[in-house]
Amino acid sequence: MAEEEPTQKTEDHDHESQAKVAEEESSKKKSGRGSEEGAGMTSDFKSGGDSRKLTCSVILGFLLLAGVTTLIVWLVYRPHKPNFTVVGAAIYELNTTAPTLLTTSMQFTIVTRNSNKRVSIFYDHLSAYVSYRNQAITPPVMLPDLFHDKKTTVALSPILGGGVAVPVSLEVVNGLVMDEAYGVVGLRLVLLGRVRYKAGAIKSGKYGVVVKCDMLVGFKKGFLGQVPLLGSPGCHVDI
């Protein structure tokens, strides 16, 4: 019986060794599968990142191309502001009907020139009024829409005031009395509206336009009709 004990211990040791080897092999297999799964996830992540980079590159390239195209078109078709000039004026009525009420009837002939070779101009929502010492002395009058073709000149002759009483300050009333006595009255014709450009098939958005024409006219109390323009009234165009 004493001789069987070492043999039993040896067999137990061999069983323990085989169990350890089996555990180590199982651990290696699990580790290998984990590494493969991790590699697959890394590969998928890299693939997704490359796809996003490609999409961003395409979008940036498109935006760059659109910007360059817009710049080229702007350089080729770059529109110039239209020119406005007052060439005639007439005063049919200019009376103070109350201490601070003024009735007027005036007509101005304005010539506008489109100097662009490739660009046409559309005007809409045009209105006009006359001011004196920075105060309106006529109500706004709506003007018809206007198409201005390339390298053309258009004339407008709106009648403003129409005998409608407009409230003004005493400064305006007294200033007109003095200027009429002197024979020279300073007026400002103002045009307001919207403008858009057309070059071939390309149409721009709408922009606000303000035209201010300062002039001196020869006018004395009691004189009605065509009045002389003193100097060459220029107009400032703001778009």
Side-chain angles (χ1 to χ4, degrees):
M1 294 295 292
E3 292 178 356
E4 291 179 356
E5 289 182 359
T7 302
Q8 183 67 34
K9 290 181 179 180
T10 302
E11 290 177 355
D12 292 341
H13 179 73
D14 291 341
H15 284 304
E16 291 177 359
S17 299
Q18 290 175 0
K20 289 181 179 180
V21 171
E23 288 178 1
E24 290 177 357
E25 289 179 353
S26 176
S27 177
K28 289 180 179 179
K29 287 179 180 181
K30 290 181 179 179
S31 176
R33 284 197 299 269
S35 298
E36 290 175 358
E37 291 175 357
M41 293 176 63
T42 304
S43 177
D44 292 340
F45 179 77
K46 288 182 178 179
S47 177
D50 292 341
S51 177
R52 285 192 293 271
K53 287 181 180 179
L54 178 61
T55 302
C56 292
S57 299
V58 171
I59 293 174
L60 288 175
F62 175 78
L63 293 176
L64 180 61
L65 180 61
V68 171
T69 302
T70 302
L71 178 61
I72 293 173
V73 170
W74 182 81
L75 290 174
V76 173
Y77 294 98
R78 178 174 45 184
H80 300 289
K81 291 181 180 180
N83 299 316
F84 286 79
T85 306
V86 178
V87 297
I91 297 177
Y92 305 116
E93 182 181 3
L94 184 58
N95 295 315
T96 303
T97 57
T100 56
L101 288 177
L102 188 69
T103 58
T104 63
S105 180
M106 304 179 179
Q107 186 173 20
F108 297 90
T109 300
I110 312 109
V111 173
T112 173
R113 171 75 177 170
N114 178 13
S115 61
N116 292 288
K117 296 180 181 179
R118 302 182 180 91
V119 180
S120 301
I121 304 175
F122 294 86
Y123 300 90
D124 53 27
H125 298 92
L126 280 174
S127 64
Y129 68 91
V130 179
S131 68
Y132 173 82
R133 297 195 177 185
N134 295 321
Q135 295 184 46
I137 60 173
T138 69
V141 173
M142 295 303 299
L143 304 178
D145 294 345
L146 176 65
F147 171 68
H148 209 170
D149 204 359
K150 303 177 287 290
K151 301 290 289 184
T152 58
T153 300
V154 177
L156 304 172
S157 295
I159 296 178
L160 308 174
V164 178
V166 176
V168 295
S169 67
L170 285 175
E171 178 189 357
V172 168
V173 173
N174 294 333
L176 282 172
V177 170
M178 290 189 297
D179 288 349
E180 288 177 24
Y182 184 68
V184 177
V185 179
L187 300 173
R188 169 177 285 179
L189 174 64
V190 180
L191 300 175
L192 304 172
R194 306 282 288 177
V195 63
R196 55 194 170 97
Y197 298 101
K198 181 177 182 295
I202 302 173
K203 292 183 180 180
S204 74
K206 292 184 178 182
Y207 303 93
V209 58
V210 180
V211 182
K212 297 178 181 179
C213 305
D214 293 320
M215 68 196 86
L216 294 174
V217 299
F219 180 75
K220 286 193 174 184
K221 186 70 174 179
F223 180 85
L224 300 175
Q226 198 77 21
V227 294
L229 293 171
L230 306 179
S232 300
C235 300
H236 176 75
V237 181
D238 186 17
I239 296 179

